[in-house]
Amino acid sequence: MAVPVSKDLVILALAAWVSVALVEISAQETPAQPASASPVMSERLNLVERAAEVPGPGYSSPAVVADTKSLDPAAATKAWLATVPRDQREKSDAYFEGGYWLLLWNFLLVAAISVLLLESGISARLRDFAERAARFRSLQVACYAIPYFLIVATLSFPLNLYEHFFREHQYGFATQTFLPWFREQLIGFGLTIIGGTILLIALYSVFRRAPRTWWIWGTGLVVIFLFIVVFIAPLCIEPLFNTYKPLTNVEIRDSILAMARANQIPAKQVFEVDASRQTTRISANVSGVLGTTRIALNDNLLKQCTLPEIRMVMAHEMGHYVLNHGAKLLTYAGIFILIGFAFTRALFDAAVRRWGARWRVRSIADPAGLPFLVLILSTLLFIATPFLNTVVRVTEREADAFGINTSREADGMARVALKLGAYRKLDPMPLEEFIFFDHPSGRARIHMAMDWKAANLPCGKSAALETVPPTQQ
């Protein structure tokens, strides 16, 4: 389940790198719109299933589906996609394509705020205030960081309000009224100030002590910070936004725990999250490290999906956990951060030589240079978007493969892909998918499910059970 952290955390470019890793390290399936299909779509789905000799949506498909030798995966994929009414496809495409522009507007907003703080001298004046207010340098960084976050949050609030409140209501994804939503934004912003200030104090300490090699030591520091956040999020952060309670549906709980036991996931309970008070989307996760492992799914998933679909979603999440995607993504994040910091060191030093006097920025260790640090890292992050998305998309595809082989719910996977398609473009162009998709498209996921189904993979038999022990012959 996603933690509703304030968007302002992304304004700090370092935390933008953090946010890329956090969502996936927690092994979260990106949420979708309400799964309640229209009557037209339901009828079309039933026709597709009958054509493929598949039982109805309430049926939990067996390990081996009868006679799929004649199934053409490409044709079956087209048939599944054709069940979505045109108006729903257009709405989904409009929502997702609008995100392309929001990616650009968010970057331009960060750039504009950074330039404003530098050119107006506000950043330098904040630094001067911090030096007067505190004697110790670490406290000076804190005295700079807090008003910096306040200014950035204020200037970015209009876009944040549109993107995460008005737009979500426009497309029917949000259920909160303004006051509860704003309250959670304030909680997220409070976490941003606390976490961001601690990170900046530590980073500027590295800047002062290692002015030439800070980009190496700084990478290690940010990776450690990431690990700590991932560790404490399920315990301390997520309960601030949602209530977790044991799942009471025995059939669903036992089915999920059976898959967990089969994959040696150390969880004895499944938790239900009250996400419906915030959103109409579905989501789930299997997350945690060092004894904090937790299996959770939100109440929207329970209300809107059938057991085969729930099994597929949960098996996908288990794939993230079993395949160690958290550790892998943390490693990939460290590599990207190292490269970004290396570029930042060269660009920052060159900028200080040219514009340092104008901005009254002394060196990398001067907090007044933070807006330029953010500008550089945000630009690099924006340019690297296709590559970051590809890294995440590959892990999601691996989790899909794990999920379908664990749950053996090919049609459940296809149905869930269509429901996720309520907010993610189902059939994008290849280049479009490469640049903007951090998950496989609905078409790719359905095709994987139909490939698996066409293969009609049987369960293997143990030779030990078929062979009579020599002593008994």
Side-chain angles (χ1 to χ4, degrees):
M1 168 59 97
V3 179
V5 177
S6 170
K7 188 70 175 181
D8 302 314
L9 186 60
V10 182
I11 300 300
L12 178 60
L14 293 173
W17 296 98
V18 173
S19 65
V20 169
L22 282 184
V23 174
E24 300 306 327
I25 287 173
S26 64
Q28 167 190 312
E29 172 62 274
T30 307
Q33 193 189 4
S36 51
S38 66
V40 175
M41 183 175 177
S42 297
E43 179 60 27
R44 291 178 181 177
L45 285 172
N46 290 334
L47 288 173
V48 170
E49 290 176 332
R50 287 197 293 271
E53 298 183 6
V54 178
Y59 177 77
S60 181
S61 61
V64 181
V65 180
D67 189 17
T68 56
K69 293 181 180 179
S70 61
L71 179 65
D72 179 354
T77 300
K78 291 181 180 179
W80 279 100
L81 292 174
T83 62
V84 182
R86 181 177 178 180
D87 59 333
Q88 292 186 23
R89 287 281 290 272
E90 291 176 348
K91 181 180 179 181
S92 167
D93 291 352
Y95 178 80
F96 193 77
E97 291 169 1
Y100 305 164
W101 290 104
L102 286 171
L103 183 68
L104 175 63
W105 302 140
N106 276 285
F107 165 67
L108 293 177
L109 178 62
V110 171
I113 293 173
S114 299
V115 171
L116 173 66
L117 294 177
L118 290 169
E119 290 291 341
S120 66
I122 293 175
S123 184
R125 288 196 289 272
L126 286 178
R127 185 268 324 278
D128 295 341
F129 161 77
E131 289 178 343
R132 291 193 303 269
R135 176 181 176 184
F136 299 103
R137 291 186 176 182
S138 294
L139 291 179
Q140 291 174 2
V141 173
C143 290
Y144 175 93
I146 293 173
Y148 169 82
F149 283 127
L150 288 170
I151 292 172
V152 169
T154 302
L155 295 177
S156 61
F157 182 73
L159 181 58
N160 181 41
L161 179 64
Y162 166 73
E163 181 177 356
H164 296 102
F165 184 78
F166 289 116
R167 187 169 183 261
E168 292 299 299
H169 276 278
Q170 177 186 350
Y171 283 92
F173 298 148
T175 60
Q176 283 182 312
T177 57
F178 177 76
L179 288 179
W181 176 85
F182 186 64
R183 173 183 171 274
E184 291 190 355
Q185 291 294 303
L186 291 178
I187 295 173
F189 180 59
L191 295 173
T192 298
I193 291 180
I194 295 171
T197 300
I198 292 173
L199 178 60
L200 286 177
I201 289 173
L203 273 177
Y204 274 93
S205 178
V206 171
F207 294 162
R208 291 192 301 270
R209 288 170 170 76
R212 294 179 180 274
T213 58
W214 67 262
W215 56 283
I216 300 175
W217 300 107
T219 298
L221 177 65
V222 173
V223 170
I224 293 172
F225 178 81
L226 276 173
F227 178 81
I228 293 173
V229 170
V230 171
F231 177 72
I232 69 172
L235 301 175
C236 304
I237 298 178
E238 293 177 4
L240 295 176
F241 301 94
N242 292 98
T243 300
Y244 287 74
K245 63 180 182 180
L247 179 62
T248 56
N249 187 308
V250 176
E251 181 184 13
I252 295 176
R253 181 197 66 196
D254 290 350
S255 180
I256 293 171
L257 289 178
M259 292 191 295
R261 287 193 301 271
N263 290 283
Q264 298 183 327
I265 298 175
K268 297 182 179 180
Q269 185 58 272
V270 180
F271 291 91
E272 177 183 347
V273 190
D274 61 339
S276 60
R277 65 186 183 86
Q278 298 152 329
T279 180
T280 58
R281 304 173 181 235
I282 61 174
S283 68
N285 67 56
V286 180
S287 61
V289 293
L290 302 179
T292 64
T293 303
R294 182 179 67 193
I295 300 176
L297 66 165
N298 75 12
D299 52 354
N300 291 323
L301 181 62
L302 293 170
K303 297 172 183 176
Q304 300 166 14
C305 292
T306 62
L307 180 57
E309 296 163 10
I310 294 173
R311 280 172 48 80
M312 179 58 212
V313 170
M314 300 312 300
H316 168 99
E317 300 305 324
M318 291 177 190
H320 284 305
Y321 184 91
V322 174
L323 298 174
N324 293 313
H325 284 164
K328 292 176 182 178
L329 286 167
L330 194 61
T331 302
Y332 300 149
I335 294 171
F336 278 114
I337 293 168
L338 181 65
I339 296 171
F341 277 4
F343 276 106
T344 300
R345 179 183 179 275
L347 294 172
F348 194 97
D349 291 345
V352 168
R353 287 193 296 270
R354 181 167 182 177
W355 297 297
R358 176 177 172 180
W359 295 338
R360 294 169 55 200
V361 175
R362 304 158 188 162
S363 68
I364 187 67
D366 183 358
L370 178 61
F372 189 62
L373 187 66
V374 169
L375 177 60
I376 295 173
L377 288 172
S378 295
T379 302
L380 294 174
L381 180 68
F382 181 75
I383 295 172
T385 294
F387 306 102
L388 294 170
N389 283 344
T390 297
V391 168
V392 176
R393 192 171 60 251
V394 168
T395 62
E396 292 295 332
R397 184 167 180 80
E398 291 175 353
D400 283 343
F402 181 96
I404 195 170
N405 281 296
T406 296
S407 69
R408 310 185 77 78
E409 300 286 1
D411 296 291
M413 180 175 181
R415 280 181 168 273
V416 168
L418 293 182
K419 291 170 182 178
L420 291 169
Y423 81 104
R424 183 186 292 123
K425 196 171 183 178
L426 279 169
D427 194 10
M429 295 183 295
L431 182 61
E432 185 180 12
E433 187 167 4
F434 167 72
I435 295 175
F436 296 108
F437 280 63
D438 60 0
H439 283 63
S441 65
R443 179 198 63 237
R445 282 177 152 168
I446 295 172
H447 204 292
M448 174 185 283
M450 296 302 102
D451 280 337
W452 187 94
K453 188 174 178 179
N456 193 16
L457 296 176
C459 292
K461 295 182 180 180
S462 173
L465 297 178
E466 298 175 353
T467 303
V468 178
T471 56
Q472 299 180 14
Q473 290 181 348

